[in-house]
Amino acid sequence: MSYVITPPPQASVPVVGTADRFPVHRIYCVGRNYEEHAKEMGFTGREPPFFFMKPADAVLPVAAGDTGTLPYPSLTSNLHHEIELVVAIGKGGKNIQAADALQHIWGYAVGLDMTRRDLQGEMKKQGRPWSIGKGFDASAPIGPITPAAQAGDVANAAIWLQVNGTDRQRSTVTQLIWNIAETIEHLSAAWELQPGDLIFTGTPEGVAAVVRGDVLEGGIDGLGTLRLTVA
């Protein structure tokens, strides 16, 4: 087979403790999946889960111990951070039941769902899709993936984010409205999940803007930290 143009490189994420890479197929994100974050966004209750997507090459992988560089995106003056637990799918499937969902997980990582909040808000007002607010270049910074067997008790882990050394977000994964297994069940009813899919599972309360020069550092117990500078 020959291609009429050179195929782009495969988007991938480092794996903890090895030179191996996890190839990215798709990036799914769960909206408003922590109760207190839902409240700060003007919503309450356990609404049915909803999803949006980012391009696979929106990942901005940061190796363990490194400080990544996040370019401040165009067209916005209100760039928000959202720290998230990321689930890496190793075994695909459709209509996966929650009781079986954990068997499909290859590993976990710390991620950030960066958001052009002003553009997202304007699209919402107009009733238009808000991909421009969520799916831009480098909008999915992510640390190394830890294999599930090495990740510890992820379902009860603390999750946090600091900006310039000051707490912005701090919660626990137990506060997810739809837990990891339930999320996979709902997601796989709408799409057939594939090996290489990443699921950003939602963010706790405390989302806020960052500016050029800010240093973001976030972590999840058992999964290390993710650190980057806004350039």
Side-chain angles (χ1 to χ4, degrees), residues 11-93:
S12 66
V13 179
V15 174
V16 164
T18 76
D20 294 336
R21 309 282 298 189
F22 183 89
V24 179
H25 177 248
R26 292 177 179 168
I27 301 175
Y28 298 98
C29 303
V30 189
R32 297 196 297 263
N33 202 26
Y34 282 79
E35 183 175 0
E36 293 305 315
H37 174 58
K39 289 178 180 178
E40 75 180 355
M41 299 299 287
F43 298 84
T44 60
R46 195 181 196 229
E47 62 182 330
F50 69 94
F51 307 97
F52 58 92
M53 298 177 72
K54 293 175 182 275
D57 62 359
V59 289
L60 176 62
V62 180
D66 286 355
T67 299
T69 299
L70 173 67
Y72 196 95
S74 61
L75 304 179
T76 186
S77 58
N78 195 18
L79 178 66
H80 278 207
H81 58 72
E82 299 188 14
I83 189 73
E84 309 208 4
L85 168 68
V86 182
V87 174
I89 297 295
K91 176 185 174 184

Side-chain angles (χ1 to χ4, degrees), residues 182-193:
E182 292 170 331
T183 294
I184 290 173
E185 180 177 284
H186 282 278
L187 188 60
S188 67
W191 292 274
E192 182 172 357
L193 296 182

Side-chain angles (χ1 to χ4, degrees), residues 27-197:
I27 301 175
Y28 298 98
C29 303
V30 189
R32 297 196 297 263
N33 202 26
Y34 282 79
E35 183 175 0
E36 293 305 315
H37 174 58
K39 289 178 180 178
E40 75 180 355
M41 299 299 287
F43 298 84
T44 60
R46 195 181 196 229
E47 62 182 330
F50 69 94
F51 307 97
F52 58 92
M53 298 177 72
K54 293 175 182 275
D57 62 359
V59 289
L60 176 62
V62 180
D66 286 355
T67 299
T69 299
L70 173 67
Y72 196 95
S74 61
L75 304 179
T76 186
S77 58
N78 195 18
L79 178 66
H80 278 207
H81 58 72
E82 299 188 14
I83 189 73
E84 309 208 4
L85 168 68
V86 182
V87 174
I89 297 295
K91 176 185 174 184
K94 189 170 177 61
N95 295 317
I96 299 166
Q97 297 301 300
D100 302 321
L102 299 188
Q103 302 173 25
H104 292 257
I105 297 173
W106 193 90
Y108 302 92
V110 182
L112 280 165
D113 167 18
M114 301 304 296
T115 303
R116 295 193 280 205
R117 191 71 73 199
D118 45 359
L119 299 185
Q120 182 192 32
E122 186 59 33
M123 293 300 103
K124 285 182 177 180
K125 289 177 186 177
Q126 298 180 43
R128 295 176 176 177
W130 32 272
S131 297
I132 194 171
K134 288 288 192 177
F136 53 93
D137 296 341
S139 60
I142 186 171
I145 296 174
T146 299
Q150 302 172 25
D153 188 9
V154 172
N156 294 294
I159 179 172
W160 55 272
L161 177 77
Q162 294 183 333
V163 177
N164 301 325
T166 300
D167 270 15
R168 285 278 187 91
Q169 296 183 263
R170 189 168 291 274
S171 186
T172 63
V173 178
T174 58
Q175 298 302 306
L176 283 169
I177 296 173
W178 298 94
N179 66 33
I180 297 165
E182 292 170 331
T183 294
I184 290 173
E185 180 177 284
H186 282 278
L187 188 60
S188 67
W191 292 274
E192 182 172 357
L193 296 182
Q194 300 291 336
D197 287 343

